[in-house]
Amino acid sequence: MEIGSNNDELYSITLFVVLISGCIVIGHLLEKNRWINDSITALLTGLCSGMIILLTTKGKSSRILEFDEQLFFIYLLPPIIFNAGFQVKKKQFFRNFMTIMLFGAVGTLISFCIISFGAKLLFASLDIGALELRDYLAIGAIFSATDSVCTLQVLNQDDTPLLYSLVFGEGVVNDATSIVLFNAIQRVDLSHVNSKIAAQFVGNFLTLFVTSTLLGIVIGLLCAYLIKKLYLGRHSTDREVALMMLMAYLSYVMSEMFKLSGILTVFFCGIVMSHYTWHNVTQSSRTTTKHAFATLSFVAEIFIFLYVGMDALDIEKWKFASDSPGKSIAVSAVLFGLVLVGRASFVFPLSFASNFARKSKSDKFDLKQQVTIWWAGLMRGAVSMALAYNQFARSGHTQQPGNAIMITSTITVVLFSTIVFGLMTKPLVKFLLHPPMLPENGIPSETASPRSFLTPLLGNEEEVEVGKENSNIHRPSSLRMLLTTPAYTIHHYWRKFDDAVMRPVFGGRGFTRLDPVSSEEPSVY
């Protein structure tokens, strides 16, 4: 193999690495005046770079790498989702699990239905080309996928733990649900839609959801058991770190191999690993894995938004849109309007239902918090782009006018929602929530972003043993507890089962060896 034959590819990769490094430096310089986040920085850098490349190549191309769906779904998405599960504060996540699932799963289904059928009704008068029923359903899944990182960077999880937990948890579950929906759509025969086909679609969705989750849990437990029994750290911490990384990635690729949802699998694998496996490794391995996973996630997200910014100026797709700019603008406006309506159609009704079920006034969502939740899910990001490419283009290219318009409209919605809404997020949240709920000087706290390698959210300090913390308090009967506070009751009995059965087998807090390298107790992050 001659190295010289790949010079063009090496130049492209080198330039992309330079741009990613530039995004990190610019993001650092803008940290004190956080009006824009890393996603917006990468998008704007990609747009500027795309413009320069477009001028340099005399309008032939605006990007230096070709988009590949496999690159996104197999290499870039797994570290982002795994880190979300690995770094999540599990106590808050599972304490609000029912509400998170209500918004993330049920809410996404409601938004999916409204966007799909709204697009079918409204696109008929726009004459954008021959779109099938599968395309309209795919549009619903594509534009149901949110990107709430802008809001999370402004919210403070210490001052608004309930709101932060819901926005973060819903964002992850929403992405997973959207991808599961998209995959289920590809499997169902939509040539003759009837009640049987609808039941099959629901069955496929539920099967994907449950089996993907179980696979992630099983692989996470297997990794915890192996590391606990073998205790690799007594010889080499490198083996521990390598095994954790490989098992995490194995969960994703196995799920994709079995045609399941890799995003759900790797998310729950991350949760299980942080609960059991992370406590079984040595102190140095804990520090290494925590920052390694977060760094990979950070770089992957920068890479995605940088590419989206470049590809937004791809002349091939915009040629079709330039023939009828009014039509392209109309499609983008319709899609964004459906996103607004679809989001509102479940946030406010489900917030009312959630408030009705909550006894404590402090746990209920007031109108300002509901508006914040609604706003947090209006931005569209990398998942929407990847699904749109998957449905309407191959390797980023398309020669069909209808498909090209859908790609350019998706790009328009992503750019507009991320940049414009992202810039408005900080002043809006500051206006809606009381000043004490925000960090001083408007600068996000160290725990403000789940996707930044500088802001680990492992939250093990929250892993207080439920059942021990209030052991002297008289508890009502189990049935009464279940009826009045189901989430707390399930959490209480899960902790008892976890302490009695799971931790003695798979390890975890209180069931680990001391670090042989240090005489100190393992640190609590």
Side-chain angles (χ1 to χ4, degrees):
M1 177 180 176
E2 295 183 5
I3 296 178
S5 62
N6 293 325
N7 273 346
D8 290 343
E9 185 177 346
L10 287 174
Y11 291 148
S12 299
I13 294 174
T14 301
L15 181 56
F16 220 93
V17 171
V18 170
L19 291 174
I20 292 175
S21 302
C23 289
I24 295 173
V25 172
I26 294 171
H28 170 73
L29 295 175
L30 296 175
E31 186 72 29
K32 291 185 178 179
N33 297 308
R34 183 58 85 180
W35 285 89
I36 62 176
N37 63 3
D38 294 310
S39 301
I40 297 175
T41 301
L43 269 177
L44 293 176
T45 303
L47 283 170
C48 294
S49 304
M51 181 66 71
I52 294 172
I53 295 171
L54 199 64
L55 294 174
T56 304
T57 60
K58 298 180 180 180
K60 292 181 179 180
S61 176
S62 67
R63 57 193 177 193
I64 53 179
L65 292 175
E66 293 292 329
F67 182 85
D68 185 354
E69 294 87 353
Q70 295 299 314
L71 172 67
F72 177 83
F73 285 108
I74 301 299
Y75 301 109
L76 298 179
L77 190 60
I80 295 173
I81 302 303
F82 176 82
N83 186 61
F86 192 75
Q87 305 279 12
V88 68
K89 284 193 173 183
K90 297 178 291 296
K91 185 176 180 181
Q92 280 292 340
F93 181 82
F94 285 105
R95 178 166 286 178
N96 299 298
F97 185 74
M98 296 306 296
T99 306
I100 287 171
M101 293 302 296
L102 186 68
F103 280 83
V106 178
T108 303
L109 288 171
I110 295 173
S111 177
F112 161 76
C113 294
I114 290 177
I115 294 174
S116 295
F117 293 105
K120 185 169 176 56
L121 290 174
L122 297 174
F123 283 3
S125 59
L126 295 177
D127 187 28
I128 64 172
L131 295 180
E132 301 175 354
L133 177 60
R134 192 183 307 277
D135 293 323
Y136 288 113
L137 294 177
I139 289 171
I142 290 167
F143 289 97
S144 294
T146 66
D147 188 348
S148 54
V149 68
C150 291
T151 307
L152 287 171
Q153 286 189 328
V154 178
L155 290 177
N156 187 327
Q157 65 174 335
D158 295 322
D159 294 331
T160 57
L162 175 62
L163 190 61
Y164 187 96
S165 174
L166 179 61
V167 171
F168 171 64
E170 188 227 338
V172 176
V173 176
N174 166 276
D175 284 349
T177 305
S178 298
I179 294 177
V180 170
L181 274 172
F182 186 86
N183 291 336
I185 291 166
Q186 309 306 315
R187 296 184 178 189
V188 176
D189 180 15
L190 298 174
S191 56
H192 303 287
V193 180
N194 51 41
S195 58
K196 184 178 179 180
I197 295 297
Q200 182 184 354
F201 176 78
V202 174
N204 284 344
F205 173 78
L206 294 176
T207 301
L208 279 171
F209 211 96
V210 174
T211 52
S212 301
T213 301
L214 290 176
L215 180 60
I217 293 172
V218 168
I219 294 180
L221 291 175
L222 176 61
C223 181
Y225 183 79
L226 286 174
I227 289 181
K228 181 175 183 290
K229 287 298 181 183
L230 298 177
Y231 195 46
L232 303 175
R234 70 178 181 268
H235 296 309
S236 170
T237 58
D238 295 339
R239 290 192 179 102
E240 288 184 319
V241 176
L243 185 61
M244 284 187 70
M245 288 186 168
L246 290 173
M247 292 292 282
Y249 190 64
L250 177 66
S251 69
Y252 187 88
V253 293
M254 279 187 66
S255 182
E256 292 296 315
M257 182 179 68
F258 293 136
K259 305 299 182 183
L260 302 176
S261 172
I263 188 173
L264 264 178
T265 300
V266 79
F267 175 69
F268 279 97
C269 181
I271 291 178
V272 172
M273 280 194 178
S274 70
H275 188 63
Y276 297 109
T277 315
W278 191 78
H279 293 282
N280 296 341
V281 301
T282 59
Q283 177 64 39
S284 57
S285 294
R286 294 179 193 181
T287 304
T288 301
T289 53
K290 181 181 66 174
H291 290 289
F293 289 136
T295 302
L296 288 172
S297 170
F298 178 77
V299 173
E301 187 161 315
I302 294 293
F303 183 100
I304 291 168
F305 279 99
L306 185 62
Y307 183 87
V308 169
M310 283 186 176
D311 198 57
L313 297 176
D314 181 43
I315 201 69
E316 177 192 79
K317 304 181 190 69
W318 289 103
K319 281 180 180 178
F320 296 102
S322 62
D323 294 336
S324 52
K327 186 183 297 184
S328 182
I329 294 172
V331 171
S332 301
V334 166
L335 289 172
F336 195 73
L338 289 172
V339 167
L340 296 173
V341 174
R343 180 76 182 168
S345 64
F346 76 83
V347 167
F348 298 106
L350 293 185
S351 295
F352 176 80
S354 178
N355 287 342
F356 184 77
R358 292 173 181 266
K359 301 298 180 182
S360 174
K361 186 176 180 181
S362 60
D363 289 338
K364 295 184 178 182
F365 304 110
D366 59 30
L367 182 59
K368 291 182 178 180
Q369 289 176 319
Q370 292 177 34
V371 173
T372 303
I373 295 169
W374 171 74
W375 183 272
L378 292 180
M379 282 154 278
R380 296 295 176 265
V383 173
S384 294
M385 285 298 307
L387 293 179
Y389 279 125
N390 191 289
Q391 181 68 23
F392 297 108
R394 289 293 175 266
S395 298
H397 297 282
T398 180
Q399 294 297 326
Q400 300 181 16
N403 289 355
I405 288 177
M406 288 310 307
I407 293 291
T408 55
S409 298
T410 304
I411 291 172
T412 302
V413 172
V414 168
L415 289 177
F416 181 82
S417 63
T418 301
I419 296 176
V420 178
F421 277 38
L423 290 172
M424 295 171 61
T425 295
K426 179 183 172 182
L428 179 72
V429 172
K430 190 174 181 179
F431 171 75
L432 290 174
L433 303 181
H434 297 295
M437 291 186 178
L438 291 174
E440 293 183 6
N441 301 323
I443 302 174
S445 68
E446 291 186 356
T447 55
S449 173
R451 299 182 183 178
S452 172
F453 67 94
L454 297 175
T455 58
L457 299 180
L458 206 48
N460 292 324
E461 73 279 1
E462 292 198 3
E463 300 300 321
V464 180
E465 306 299 328
V466 177
K468 295 180 181 178
E469 56 188 1
N470 294 319
S471 57
N472 297 325
I473 299 176
H474 174 70
R475 294 183 179 276
S477 66
S478 299
L479 180 60
R480 183 181 172 190
M481 286 175 63
L482 186 61
L483 292 175
T484 55
T485 55
Y488 285 84
T489 307
I490 293 171
H491 190 261
H492 167 68
Y493 284 108
W494 158 250
R495 277 299 188 188
K496 294 179 69 174
F497 174 76
D498 193 29
D499 291 340
V501 179
M502 299 297 288
R503 293 191 189 190
V505 176
F506 299 105
R509 179 184 296 278
F511 292 88
T512 58
R513 295 179 175 91
L514 288 177
D515 191 339
V517 179
S518 172
S519 60
E520 299 179 0
E521 291 285 337
S523 298
V524 178
Y525 287 88

